[in-house]
Amino acid sequence: MRQADVTRNTSETKIQIAINLDGTGKAELASGVPFLDHMLDQIARHGMIDIKVVAKGDTHIDDHHTVEDVGITLGQAFAQAVGDKAGITRYGHSYVPLDETLSRVVIDFSGRPGLEFNVPFTRSRVGDFDVDLSIEFFRGFVNHAGVTLHIDNLRGINAHHQIETVFKAFGRALRMALAIDPRASGVVPSTKGSL
C-alpha cells in the first residue's frame, strides 16, 4: 500500500496530509487558500492520487507560510509513500495545453532535490493568490520529496491558465513516474541500486 499520513505543526501552520499513490483522484481539500485547493485538485485528478489536506495557517498575515508548508508536507508524504522506489518508472513528463497556454513538467524521483521553474507570469495575482507562491509550493515539495523537477511554461497570456497547466502537467508527470513497471518488479530504477 503506497500511502502516507503526515502531520506538520509549526508556530505558523498546522497541516495534515494523507495520500494514496494508487488512488482514483479523489481530493478532500481544506488548506485555507482556495486557489491552492483548486490546484491541489488538479494534482489529484490528473495524477490519479487520492489527496486529503487539512491546513490552518497564519493567512491573516498572508498565504505564504501555508502554501509553502503544504508543499513541504506533501513532499514528505510522497517520500514516505514511495518508499525505496523499487519497481517505479522513476521518470515522468507531461505537456498540458489550456487554450493559449502550454506547459511542460518533467520529474525524476532521483533522491536529489532540484527545481528549475521557468514560468514568465503575465501578472502578479490570480484573484487573491500571489503567483510567486507557486514556486514556493514546488520548492517545498522537491526539497522534501527528494525529486528533480523541471517546470516550463512554453507560452501563455492568462496567468490562471499558466498556473493551472503547470499543476495539471505536474499531476500527469507524477502519474507516469510513479507507475509500477511490470518488467522491473522489485528493482530500484538506478544502476547504483538505490535512489
Side-chain angles (χ1 to χ4, degrees):
M1 299 294 286
R2 301 191 302 166
Q3 300 179 12
D5 193 330
V6 176
T7 299
R8 175 183 166 84
N9 291 323
T10 73
S11 62
E12 298 167 338
T13 62
K14 299 186 184 329
I15 298 170
Q16 182 175 10
I17 294 182
I19 63 169
N20 177 359
L21 301 182
D22 301 304
T24 58
K26 182 173 66 173
E28 296 177 50
L29 306 167
S31 72
V33 181
F35 190 77
L36 177 61
D37 287 346
H38 179 44
M39 294 302 104
L40 293 170
D41 194 26
Q42 305 307 319
I43 297 171
R45 185 75 48 90
H46 295 281
M48 295 300 287
I49 298 163
D50 294 343
I51 302 175
K52 180 178 181 180
V53 175
V54 178
K56 294 191 185 305
D58 55 2
T59 54
H60 60 285
I61 297 172
D62 71 10
D63 295 337
H64 186 286
H65 297 141
T66 300
V67 174
E68 179 181 32
D69 287 4
V70 166
I72 288 169
T73 311
L74 189 63
Q76 291 171 338
F78 269 78
Q80 183 177 318
V82 78
D84 69 1
K85 305 172 191 151
I88 68 167
T89 302
R90 176 178 168 177
Y91 301 100
H93 64 273
S94 181
Y95 287 81
V96 170
L98 176 55
D99 297 341
E100 86 298 345
T101 303
L102 177 66
S103 292
R104 174 184 61 215
V105 173
V106 182
I107 193 166
D108 175 11
F109 274 81
S110 61
R112 294 184 304 279
L115 176 63
E116 289 292 329
F117 188 89
N118 300 295
V119 181
F121 288 116
T122 57
R123 65 181 193 264
S124 62
R125 301 190 83 78
V126 174
D128 293 329
F129 188 80
D130 178 351
V131 298
D132 288 341
L133 296 183
S134 54
I135 192 171
E136 300 303 330
F137 171 85
F138 286 111
R139 185 177 290 123
F141 180 87
V142 302
N143 286 336
H144 293 270
V147 300
T148 301
L149 182 63
H150 287 248
I151 295 173
D152 295 285
N153 172 238
L154 303 176
R155 65 182 61 92
I157 296 168
N158 183 309
H160 186 136
H161 293 173
Q162 289 176 294
I163 297 174
E164 187 165 336
T165 54
V166 162
F167 274 84
K168 285 179 175 176
F170 178 60
R172 299 290 300 189
L174 284 170
R175 184 174 174 180
M176 179 186 290
L178 294 168
I180 299 298
D181 184 344
R183 295 185 303 160
S185 178
V187 176
V188 174
S190 171
T191 54
K192 293 191 287 283
S194 67
L195 289 169

